[in-house]
Amino acid sequence: WQATQGHDATSGINYTNQADRVNQSAFIEHDILLRDWTISLGLLANHNTALDSRWRIYPGVDISYRPTQHWKLFASWNMALRMPTFTDLYYSGTNIVGTKDLKPEKTNDVSLGTRYRTEGWKIEASAFYSHKTDMIDWVIYADEPDGQTFRSGNFTLDNAGIELLADFLPQELFPEFPIRKIGIQYAYINEDIDYAKPILKSKYAMEYLRHKVVASTDSRLFRNLYLSLSWRWQDRVGEGNAPYSLLDGRLSWRSDSGRWDIYADCSNILNKTYYDYSYIPQPGRWGKVGVAIKF
Protein backbone atom coordinates (compact mmCIF):
# COMPACT_ATOMS: atom_id res chain seq x y z
CA TRP A 1 0.00 0.00 0.00
CA GLN A 2 2.98 2.31 0.53
CA ALA A 3 6.03 2.48 -1.71
CA THR A 4 9.20 1.57 0.16
CA GLN A 5 12.73 0.35 -0.33
CA GLY A 6 12.78 -1.59 2.94
CA HIS A 7 13.76 -5.26 2.93
CA ASP A 8 10.54 -6.15 4.80
CA ALA A 9 8.41 -5.13 1.84
CA THR A 10 7.09 -7.64 -0.68
CA SER A 11 9.53 -7.74 -3.60
CA GLY A 12 11.17 -4.66 -2.09
CA ILE A 13 8.36 -2.47 -3.50
CA ASN A 14 5.09 -2.54 -1.59
CA TYR A 15 3.72 -3.67 1.76
CA THR A 16 0.77 -6.05 1.49
CA ASN A 17 -1.23 -4.86 4.52
CA GLN A 18 -2.33 -1.60 6.06
CA ALA A 19 -4.61 -0.80 8.94
CA ASP A 20 -5.76 1.98 11.22
CA ARG A 21 -8.01 2.18 14.25
CA VAL A 22 -9.18 4.79 16.70
CA ASN A 23 -9.43 3.95 20.39
CA GLN A 24 -11.57 6.10 22.71
CA SER A 25 -12.15 5.54 26.40
CA ALA A 26 -13.67 7.27 29.39
CA PHE A 27 -13.00 6.30 32.99
CA ILE A 28 -14.71 7.14 36.26
CA GLU A 29 -13.72 6.07 39.76
CA HIS A 30 -15.26 6.65 43.16
CA ASP A 31 -13.59 5.91 46.48
CA ILE A 32 -15.58 5.35 49.67
CA LEU A 33 -13.46 5.79 52.81
CA LEU A 34 -15.01 4.59 56.05
CA ARG A 35 -13.50 3.88 59.46
CA ASP A 36 -12.74 0.20 58.78
CA TRP A 37 -13.60 -0.08 55.10
CA THR A 38 -12.20 1.23 51.84
CA ILE A 39 -14.23 0.64 48.68
CA SER A 40 -13.06 1.68 45.24
CA LEU A 41 -15.49 1.46 42.32
CA GLY A 42 -14.32 1.96 38.76
CA LEU A 43 -15.94 1.91 35.34
CA LEU A 44 -14.24 2.09 31.94
CA ALA A 45 -16.22 2.76 28.75
CA ASN A 46 -14.28 1.88 25.61
CA HIS A 47 -14.88 2.19 21.88
CA ASN A 48 -12.51 0.88 19.22
CA THR A 49 -13.18 1.28 15.50
CA ALA A 50 -11.45 -2.05 14.76
CA LEU A 51 -14.38 -3.84 16.48
CA ASP A 52 -17.71 -2.15 15.73
CA SER A 53 -19.67 0.94 16.66
CA ARG A 54 -20.52 -0.31 20.17
CA TRP A 55 -19.25 1.15 23.42
CA ARG A 56 -18.22 -1.59 25.87
CA ILE A 57 -18.25 -1.32 29.66
CA TYR A 58 -15.56 -2.80 31.94
CA PRO A 59 -16.18 -2.55 35.70
CA GLY A 60 -13.81 -2.98 38.61
CA VAL A 61 -14.27 -3.21 42.39
CA ASP A 62 -11.62 -3.18 45.12
CA ILE A 63 -12.62 -3.65 48.78
CA SER A 64 -10.50 -3.71 51.92
CA TYR A 65 -11.57 -4.22 55.53
CA ARG A 66 -9.47 -3.55 58.64
CA PRO A 67 -11.01 -5.42 61.64
CA THR A 68 -8.05 -4.44 63.87
CA GLN A 69 -4.98 -2.26 63.58
CA HIS A 70 -2.92 -5.33 62.65
CA TRP A 71 -5.17 -7.11 60.16
CA LYS A 72 -6.38 -6.17 56.71
CA LEU A 73 -8.65 -8.22 54.42
CA PHE A 74 -8.96 -7.32 50.75
CA ALA A 75 -10.72 -8.50 47.59
CA SER A 76 -11.08 -7.31 44.01
CA TRP A 77 -12.95 -8.06 40.79
CA ASN A 78 -12.03 -6.58 37.42
CA MET A 79 -12.84 -7.01 33.74
CA ALA A 80 -10.62 -5.88 30.87
CA LEU A 81 -10.00 -6.10 27.12
CA ARG A 82 -6.81 -5.98 25.04
CA MET A 83 -6.81 -5.47 21.29
CA PRO A 84 -4.48 -7.61 19.14
CA THR A 85 -1.41 -5.72 17.97
CA PHE A 86 -0.66 -5.19 14.29
CA THR A 87 2.20 -7.68 14.79
CA ASP A 88 -0.33 -10.29 15.98
CA LEU A 89 -2.49 -9.58 12.95
CA TYR A 90 -0.10 -9.03 10.06
CA TYR A 91 3.49 -9.99 10.86
CA SER A 92 5.10 -12.48 8.51
CA GLY A 93 8.64 -13.84 8.84
CA THR A 94 10.64 -17.04 8.89
CA ASN A 95 8.33 -19.76 10.28
CA ILE A 96 5.94 -17.19 11.78
CA VAL A 97 2.69 -15.82 10.28
CA GLY A 98 0.08 -13.48 11.77
CA THR A 99 -3.68 -14.08 11.59
CA LYS A 100 -5.87 -11.26 10.29
CA ASP A 101 -9.14 -12.26 12.01
CA LEU A 102 -7.92 -12.46 15.62
CA LYS A 103 -10.38 -11.51 18.34
CA PRO A 104 -9.46 -9.17 21.22
CA GLU A 105 -8.46 -10.69 24.56
CA LYS A 106 -11.03 -10.53 27.39
CA THR A 107 -10.31 -11.19 31.06
CA ASN A 108 -12.41 -11.60 34.20
CA ASP A 109 -10.26 -11.58 37.35
CA VAL A 110 -11.02 -12.19 41.03
CA SER A 111 -8.59 -12.02 43.96
CA LEU A 112 -8.75 -12.04 47.74
CA GLY A 113 -6.24 -12.00 50.53
CA THR A 114 -5.19 -10.91 53.97
CA ARG A 115 -2.32 -8.93 55.45
CA TYR A 116 -0.96 -8.95 59.01
CA ARG A 117 1.28 -6.10 60.16
CA THR A 118 2.78 -5.73 63.57
CA GLU A 119 6.02 -4.38 64.95
CA GLY A 120 8.84 -6.34 63.32
CA TRP A 121 6.64 -8.43 61.01
CA LYS A 122 4.69 -8.14 57.77
CA ILE A 123 2.86 -11.24 56.50
CA GLU A 124 0.58 -11.44 53.48
CA ALA A 125 -1.32 -14.22 51.73
CA SER A 126 -3.54 -13.94 48.66
CA ALA A 127 -5.26 -16.13 46.08
CA PHE A 128 -6.55 -15.32 42.62
CA TYR A 129 -8.59 -16.79 39.78
CA SER A 130 -8.69 -15.49 36.22
CA HIS A 131 -10.93 -16.54 33.35
CA LYS A 132 -9.54 -15.37 30.02
CA THR A 133 -11.18 -15.78 26.62
CA ASP A 134 -9.70 -15.24 23.16
CA MET A 135 -6.19 -14.95 24.58
CA ILE A 136 -3.53 -14.55 21.89
CA ASP A 137 -0.63 -16.95 21.52
CA TRP A 138 1.73 -18.07 18.77
CA VAL A 139 1.33 -21.80 18.19
CA ILE A 140 2.16 -24.58 15.75
CA TYR A 141 -1.08 -26.34 14.83
CA ALA A 142 -1.11 -30.11 14.57
CA ASP A 143 -2.29 -29.91 10.95
CA GLU A 144 0.46 -27.46 9.93
CA PRO A 145 1.96 -28.92 6.71
CA ASP A 146 5.60 -28.25 7.62
CA GLY A 147 5.11 -28.74 11.38
CA GLN A 148 7.29 -25.67 12.06
CA THR A 149 5.30 -22.50 11.31
CA PHE A 150 3.98 -20.52 14.28
CA ARG A 151 0.65 -18.76 13.74
CA SER A 152 -1.15 -16.32 16.04
CA GLY A 153 -4.43 -17.65 17.37
CA ASN A 154 -7.02 -17.32 20.13
CA PHE A 155 -7.50 -19.68 23.04
CA THR A 156 -9.32 -19.93 26.39
CA LEU A 157 -7.36 -19.86 29.63
CA ASP A 158 -8.28 -20.37 33.28
CA ASN A 159 -5.56 -19.84 35.83
CA ALA A 160 -5.52 -19.85 39.59
CA GLY A 161 -2.75 -19.32 42.08
CA ILE A 162 -1.53 -18.16 45.45
CA GLU A 163 1.07 -15.68 46.67
CA LEU A 164 2.68 -15.78 50.14
CA LEU A 165 5.00 -13.17 51.66
CA ALA A 166 6.70 -12.87 55.03
CA ASP A 167 9.09 -10.05 56.04
CA PHE A 168 10.97 -9.91 59.34
CA LEU A 169 11.99 -6.32 60.17
CA PRO A 170 14.38 -6.63 63.14
CA GLN A 171 15.27 -2.92 63.32
CA GLU A 172 11.70 -2.17 64.39
CA LEU A 173 12.36 -4.32 67.47
CA PHE A 174 16.09 -3.64 67.92
CA PRO A 175 17.01 -0.25 66.34
CA GLU A 176 20.77 -0.95 66.36
CA PHE A 177 20.49 -4.36 64.71
CA PRO A 178 22.47 -4.35 61.41
CA ILE A 179 19.92 -6.28 59.36
CA ARG A 180 16.98 -4.17 58.17
CA LYS A 181 14.91 -6.89 56.52
CA ILE A 182 14.78 -10.64 55.95
CA GLY A 183 12.05 -11.68 53.56
CA ILE A 184 10.72 -14.68 51.71
CA GLN A 185 8.07 -14.87 48.98
CA TYR A 186 6.40 -17.76 47.17
CA ALA A 187 4.09 -17.75 44.15
CA TYR A 188 2.26 -20.64 42.50
CA ILE A 189 0.15 -20.67 39.32
CA ASN A 190 -1.80 -23.46 37.68
CA GLU A 191 -3.29 -23.05 34.20
CA ASP A 192 -6.03 -24.85 32.30
CA ILE A 193 -5.69 -24.12 28.58
CA ASP A 194 -8.17 -24.89 25.79
CA TYR A 195 -7.19 -24.45 22.15
CA ALA A 196 -9.92 -24.69 19.49
CA LYS A 197 -7.60 -26.85 17.34
CA PRO A 198 -4.96 -29.36 18.45
CA ILE A 199 -1.47 -27.82 18.66
CA LEU A 200 2.06 -29.15 18.71
CA LYS A 201 3.82 -26.25 20.44
CA SER A 202 3.11 -22.88 22.06
CA LYS A 203 5.46 -19.92 22.44
CA TYR A 204 3.94 -18.49 25.62
CA ALA A 205 0.83 -20.00 27.24
CA MET A 206 2.21 -23.52 27.69
CA GLU A 207 5.52 -22.21 29.10
CA TYR A 208 4.22 -20.41 32.17
CA LEU A 209 6.05 -19.98 35.48
CA ARG A 210 4.47 -22.45 37.92
CA HIS A 211 6.66 -22.02 41.03
CA LYS A 212 8.77 -19.05 42.16
CA VAL A 213 10.56 -18.55 45.49
CA VAL A 214 12.45 -15.38 46.44
CA ALA A 215 14.51 -14.92 49.61
CA SER A 216 16.04 -11.51 50.27
CA THR A 217 17.91 -9.58 52.92
CA ASP A 218 18.95 -5.96 53.37
CA SER A 219 21.61 -5.05 55.94
CA ARG A 220 24.12 -2.40 56.97
CA LEU A 221 27.71 -3.63 56.97
CA PHE A 222 29.52 -0.54 58.28
CA ARG A 223 28.41 3.06 58.80
CA ASN A 224 26.74 4.01 55.47
CA LEU A 225 27.72 0.83 53.62
CA TYR A 226 24.76 -1.45 52.85
CA LEU A 227 24.41 -4.87 51.26
CA SER A 228 21.25 -6.31 49.68
CA LEU A 229 21.06 -9.92 48.50
CA SER A 230 18.26 -11.69 46.65
CA TRP A 231 18.08 -15.41 45.87
CA ARG A 232 15.36 -16.74 43.59
CA TRP A 233 14.36 -20.20 42.43
CA GLN A 234 11.86 -20.75 39.66
CA ASP A 235 10.32 -23.67 37.84
CA ARG A 236 8.77 -23.07 34.41
CA VAL A 237 6.37 -25.54 32.82
CA GLY A 238 7.21 -26.89 29.39
CA GLU A 239 9.52 -29.35 27.68
CA GLY A 240 13.18 -28.66 28.38
CA ASN A 241 12.54 -26.04 31.08
CA ALA A 242 14.75 -27.09 33.98
CA PRO A 243 14.35 -25.32 37.36
CA TYR A 244 17.17 -22.95 38.25
CA SER A 245 18.22 -20.56 41.02
CA LEU A 246 20.09 -17.24 40.89
CA LEU A 247 21.76 -14.98 43.44
CA ASP A 248 21.81 -11.19 42.86
CA GLY A 249 23.21 -8.44 45.05
CA ARG A 250 23.78 -4.72 45.51
CA LEU A 251 26.50 -2.97 47.53
CA SER A 252 25.79 0.70 48.15
CA TRP A 253 27.09 3.71 50.03
CA ARG A 254 24.27 5.98 51.19
CA SER A 255 25.02 9.58 52.03
CA ASP A 256 24.14 10.99 55.45
CA SER A 257 21.79 13.50 53.81
CA GLY A 258 20.00 10.83 51.79
CA ARG A 259 20.51 12.93 48.66
CA TRP A 260 22.80 10.49 46.82
CA ASP A 261 23.86 6.85 46.68
CA ILE A 262 26.77 5.10 45.01
CA TYR A 263 26.03 1.47 44.18
CA ALA A 264 27.41 -1.62 42.50
CA ASP A 265 25.05 -4.34 41.27
CA CYS A 266 25.97 -7.90 40.44
CA SER A 267 23.49 -10.29 38.80
CA ASN A 268 23.95 -14.06 38.73
CA ILE A 269 26.75 -13.82 41.30
CA LEU A 270 27.39 -17.59 41.19
CA ASN A 271 27.70 -17.49 37.37
CA LYS A 272 25.00 -20.12 36.82
CA THR A 273 24.28 -21.43 33.32
CA TYR A 274 20.55 -21.29 32.64
CA TYR A 275 18.02 -20.86 29.84
CA ASP A 276 14.75 -19.01 29.49
CA TYR A 277 11.92 -20.81 27.67
CA SER A 278 14.23 -23.87 27.49
CA TYR A 279 16.39 -22.61 24.61
CA ILE A 280 17.29 -18.91 25.12
CA PRO A 281 20.71 -18.72 26.84
CA GLN A 282 20.90 -16.09 29.57
CA PRO A 283 23.91 -14.02 30.69
CA GLY A 284 26.39 -15.33 33.22
CA ARG A 285 27.76 -13.09 35.98
CA TRP A 286 27.47 -9.43 35.08
CA GLY A 287 27.61 -6.15 36.95
CA LYS A 288 27.06 -2.43 36.79
CA VAL A 289 27.92 0.62 38.90
CA GLY A 290 26.07 3.89 39.20
CA VAL A 291 25.12 6.96 41.15
CA ALA A 292 21.60 7.93 42.21
CA ILE A 293 20.95 11.59 43.06
CA LYS A 294 17.76 13.06 44.51
CA PHE A 295 17.02 16.70 43.73
Side-chain angles (χ1 to χ4, degrees):
W1 298 70
Q2 299 291 330
T4 179
Q5 301 301 316
H7 66 275
D8 288 332
T10 302
S11 303
I13 300 173
N14 295 305
Y15 287 112
T16 58
N17 296 287
Q18 65 86 31
D20 62 79
R21 60 195 184 199
V22 177
N23 188 71
Q24 304 171 77
S25 61
F27 180 79
I28 186 171
E29 180 177 316
H30 180 60
D31 294 330
I32 302 173
L33 307 177
L34 305 175
R35 188 183 67 175
D36 300 326
W37 293 84
T38 300
I39 303 172
S40 179
L41 308 172
L43 202 65
L44 173 71
N46 180 260
H47 173 267
N48 194 294
T49 56
L51 293 174
D52 49 39
S53 59
R54 290 175 48 205
W55 281 83
R56 290 169 169 80
I57 303 298
Y58 303 99
V61 180
D62 294 278
I63 301 174
S64 66
Y65 170 58
R66 297 169 298 279
T68 72
Q69 63 175 341
H70 300 298
W71 285 95
K72 179 179 180 181
L73 308 176
F74 52 88
S76 67
W77 169 64
N78 295 276
M79 296 178 65
L81 175 140
R82 186 185 79 88
M83 294 294 295
T85 67
F86 289 159
T87 298
D88 296 328
L89 296 167
Y90 305 121
Y91 183 80
S92 178
T94 304
N95 294 333
I96 185 167
V97 178
T99 303
K100 297 180 183 180
D101 59 354
L102 285 177
K103 299 176 182 178
E105 297 180 342
K106 296 176 283 292
T107 66
N108 199 328
D109 304 323
V110 178
S111 68
L112 56 91
T114 183
R115 180 180 302 135
Y116 177 74
R117 183 71 167 94
T118 189
E119 190 174 30
W121 288 94
K122 181 172 71 174
I123 300 173
E124 185 173 321
S126 61
F128 62 87
Y129 169 76
S130 179
H131 176 65
K132 305 174 185 292
T133 56
D134 297 321
M135 299 301 291
I136 298 172
D137 194 9
W138 294 83
V139 299
I140 299 177
Y141 289 107
D143 60 0
E144 187 68 41
D146 63 2
Q148 297 181 350
T149 300
F150 283 90
R151 299 182 184 276
S152 56
N154 294 114
F155 67 97
T156 300
L157 171 65
D158 288 282
N159 62 19
I162 59 171
E163 295 181 347
L164 306 174
L165 176 150
D167 286 341
F168 176 48
L169 309 168
Q171 287 187 351
E172 293 185 359
L173 300 172
F174 314 103
E176 299 303 317
F177 198 76
I179 299 177
R180 187 185 70 86
K181 185 188 79 168
I182 300 173
I184 187 165
Q185 301 175 52
Y186 171 70
Y188 168 81
I189 298 177
N190 182 67
E191 293 190 351
D192 183 12
I193 307 170
D194 182 22
Y195 291 94
K197 295 169 54 179
I199 69 167
L200 297 176
K201 193 171 184 180
S202 157
K203 271 191 174 294
Y204 304 113
M206 296 179 68
E207 306 258 337
Y208 65 93
L209 196 62
R210 172 166 285 177
H211 300 280
K212 184 175 182 179
V213 179
V214 178
S216 60
T217 181
D218 186 7
S219 58
R220 184 178 67 179
L221 299 180
F222 170 74
R223 292 186 59 188
N224 294 14
L225 184 64
Y226 293 82
L227 175 66
S228 298
L229 294 172
S230 175
W231 174 86
R232 58 189 164 99
W233 175 86
Q234 56 190 52
D235 181 17
R236 186 177 295 277
V237 172
E239 184 179 355
N241 285 319
Y244 62 84
S245 61
L246 298 175
L247 179 65
D248 303 326
R250 165 174 284 199
L251 190 65
S252 62
W253 181 272
R254 304 174 187 175
S255 66
D256 292 330
S257 64
R259 297 286 300 274
W260 56 268
D261 293 356
I262 300 175
Y263 62 87
D265 290 343
C266 185
S267 299
N268 194 3
I269 294 173
L270 303 179
N271 202 31
K272 287 285 191 72
T273 299
Y274 70 105
Y275 298 84
D276 199 15
Y277 292 104
S278 77
Y279 61 92
I280 305 174
Q282 299 299 297
R285 183 187 301 114
W286 64 281
K288 65 179 180 180
V289 297
V291 178
I293 303 174
K294 296 179 182 180
F295 295 98

